[in-house]
Amino acid sequence: MTHPEPVLKMYKYHVWANGVIIDRLKELPQHIYHKDIQSGFSSVSKVLSHIYLTDYAWFDIISGNSMNEAMASSDQLREVVEKKSIEEMKKIFLDLSERNKALLNSQEDMDKVIVVDNPYAGLLETSISESVLHVVTHGSYHRGNIATMLRQMGHTSVMQDFGLYLYSK
């Protein structure tokens, strides 16, 4: 049985890294956040929204909802989230992380099997801990997209890797 602490530590890193990139975005000229650019995503705001909505959906699944229910809930939020300012994003990320940390703290067994019926990939038997690690690695991947997009627009990003997180604690 996986103890919740290592999984919670990785999730706390994810929350910290999101905060680091959001704080960097707040330092940049405001128009950068929603600016249309040619990249994997059409704007930094769409990438950050994607990270948020994916976190939202996966924690819905961890809570016991089906993937279809979780995707429908996050799809309903998409348009509103994509239009938010970077300051508003900081707040909703914080609110979501507090909710998610409470959920993880309430889990007695991180190895508990959950069945995910992904409409694109089919059935997957996974665990709560693997689902959280997916959220963490997914966020890291897309924060990397943001770093690349910022460079394309002539701005620097900021370090937010796990090693730096360990040093910062």
Side-chain angles (χ1 to χ4, degrees), residues 81-150:
V81 171
E82 287 178 355
K83 289 180 181 168
K84 288 191 178 296
S85 70
I86 192 62
E87 290 82 11
E88 291 169 317
M89 289 302 288
K90 184 168 177 109
K91 181 181 182 341
I92 68 169
F93 262 101
L94 184 61
D95 292 346
L96 183 64
S97 71
E98 291 304 314
R99 186 185 90 179
N100 294 345
K101 282 189 253 182
L103 175 65
L104 291 177
N105 279 319
S106 74
Q107 297 299 313
E108 295 188 12
D109 183 8
M110 290 293 173
D111 292 327
K112 177 182 169 192
V113 172
I114 55 178
V115 178
V116 179
D117 188 357
N118 185 317
Y120 308 106
L123 286 176
L124 172 68
E125 278 192 15
T126 188
S127 65
I128 291 172
S129 62
E130 287 175 335
S131 299
V132 173
L133 290 177
H134 167 64
V135 165
V136 173
T137 59
H138 175 266
S140 293
Y141 176 81
H142 287 300
R143 286 187 300 272
N145 293 146
I146 292 171
T148 300
M149 294 166 88
L150 291 178

